[in-house]
Amino acid sequence: MEDIRPLISPHSGRFLDQLRLHIRQNGLAYRTEQTYLHWVKRFIRFHGRKHPKDLSMTDVEAFLSHLAEQRTCSTNTQRIALNALVYLYKRFMGLDIGDLAFKPAQGARRIPVVYSREEITAILSNLRGAH
């Protein structure tokens, strides 16, 4: 049942319900709605369940930096969280967020696997069959 959007009363006074309705009115996908709500909830919990209107842009920067430093999230994960918070503040609440100065997440570094001639010879000598 996660594929079906739950009904929400347009008269609901709950903050997250109003955000959910705003996302739907702007025609965003249901999966985007779920993702944005997830990150907004994590942001609120990170700051001790304070209402986002009571938080400043330095609090947004602190949360995004926390994701990079303590949670060691990927660049894409941090970007999704940033998009959710930008939507929350800029489009839903109508506040100017300005330039955010947070620590960017580091991309995963992959070390290439390189075999020596001896290792390749050992691998090929163990192969059986025509091809």
Side-chain angles (χ1 to χ4, degrees):
M1 296 301 281
E2 290 184 20
D3 297 351
I4 301 171
R5 293 181 183 208
L7 293 177
I8 300 170
S9 169
H11 306 295
S12 174
R14 297 180 59 206
F15 177 76
L16 292 177
D17 286 346
Q18 291 300 316
L19 176 60
R20 199 181 284 267
L21 284 172
H22 190 272
I23 290 171
R24 291 178 185 183
Q25 289 169 351
N26 282 292
L28 298 178
Y30 181 51
R31 188 68 187 127
T32 303
E33 175 186 325
Q34 291 174 318
T35 302
Y36 281 11
L37 283 169
H38 167 81
W39 284 108
V40 169
K41 287 177 189 177
R42 283 187 64 174
F43 174 68
I44 292 169
R45 282 190 212 113
F46 177 78
H47 289 293
R49 299 192 184 276
K50 289 183 183 174
H51 196 284
K53 70 178 179 187
D54 299 329
L55 299 171
S56 67
M57 292 308 116
T58 56
D59 296 317
V60 173
E61 293 168 351
F63 176 69
L64 294 171
S65 294
H66 166 77
L67 291 177
E69 294 170 346
Q70 277 77 38
R71 303 296 296 175
T72 60
C73 72
S74 71
T75 305
N76 288 337
T77 301
Q78 188 184 40
R79 188 175 299 131
I80 291 169
L82 171 64
N83 290 341
L85 295 176
V86 166
Y87 184 90
L88 170 70
Y89 280 102
K90 195 171 186 178
R91 294 190 62 196
F92 177 66
M93 297 173 72
L95 300 174
D96 182 32
I97 58 170
D99 291 330
L100 297 174
F102 57 91
K103 184 180 185 311
Q106 297 293 319
R109 293 198 174 104
R110 295 184 184 191
I111 300 172
V113 177
V114 179
Y115 293 111
S116 68
R117 288 185 183 270
E118 294 81 24
E119 291 170 323
I120 292 173
T121 304
I123 291 170
L124 293 176
S125 66
N126 288 318
L127 294 178
R128 303 286 181 247
H131 298 336

